[in-house]
Amino acid sequence: MRIAVQYANLTVGADGVVVGHEAGDTLVRRLLRVFPGTALVGDHARHYPGLEVITQDMAAADDTVLINMDVVTSVQAYSAIKAAGCAHPRIMNFVWWDAGRYSDPVEVAAMALSCALFPTFTNSQRTQHTVEDLIKRWVVRPLAERAHIGGVNLGIRMEHVQPRTATDVPVVLYPAIYMDERKRPDLFFEIVSKVVKRTPIQVEARLAESGIVTDSAMRLSRERWAKVGPLIPSRDQYWAQLARTTAFVATAEEESYGLEYVEALVAGVIGIFPDKEWAHAILPEQYPYFYQTAQQAEDLLVAAVTDPDGCRESLDQAVGGSFASWLNEHHNDDEFESEIARQVRQWFPDL
């Protein structure tokens, strides 16, 4: 069996390494590790030492499984691969983002149909349940009943964590790379702008290119206590920055998993979370830093930046031991790697 991965935003450097630090880039690198010899699908065929980029029609071999991270395009991919000579195209969806992201009925229906037609792996149990619900509501019963859906929490690689680094002024992170409405950047701005009047903080936002040019990013960048910039170029630098970050405030209305938050928590950053289902799904039951109002978030953030050691001690107490160990147990990517490999073997047993 050969695996080919399709991801529209893929960027491969001159050395044949997948670059970028968005969740999609990270997941492509994980898939390359889980399935040695995996090819990537791009607009033009290229060959690098240890990596091959192929066009979609080149995935027409009978022994190839296409893992499509651009789920709504799977029907088109099926047609293209079949037209290239493959009698039975093998396609597997990978839903690695919030499955409720679409509001347009055509897009919702296209996603539901794709997930009913092709085996679908999801980035968390919450996303799996959302996909299953979409199929029930949008797809006719004969197709819905034959759907194959699986999933597991993504988890992270714990060895990336670096020793904590002290800073003169506590650093507060905007814990996302986009400032779209779902992330509620205006609420984040409201909270930190009040905190800075009570105690010194340095707010940092590291954004994707499309996020930097938004009105919310421009507004934040005008503040003397805030720094807005592009994504950090290397993985080591990314983890080094987390090691010097004191706290973050999550304000998203909905998340499918929350990879950025988990990475920050593992690095020792104190997370302030909205009292929402998605946040409870990734945290221990007794997690002490949930808020229901902006005022509560403000007070919790003040506590985090003025007494970070005390807050980390509270996190240990919440799990009756080591919070870091709890994270390692519940968010280790070994489970993700073994489960996605198992599902591929189960869904394509003839290969």
Side-chain angles (χ1 to χ4, degrees), residues 2 12 15 50 52 64 73 99 104 109 117 125 151 165 179 219 225 236 242 271 292 294 297 306 312 315 328 332 346:
R2 186 188 192 192
V12 179
D15 56 356
E52 186 177 4
T64 298
T73 68
D104 184 290
L117 288 171
Q125 291 184 343
T165 303
M179 285 198 164
R219 179 188 182 192
W225 40 263
D236 284 344
L242 286 180
Q292 294 182 337
T306 56
R312 293 189 185 101
L315 292 173
N328 186 39
N332 195 310
Q346 177 180 320

Side-chain angles (χ1 to χ4, degrees), residues 18 27-40 51:
V18 175
L27 290 172
V28 170
R29 287 190 288 268
R30 287 195 193 179
L31 292 173
L32 290 172
R33 186 171 67 244
V34 176
F35 303 107
T38 289
L40 305 181
L51 178 67

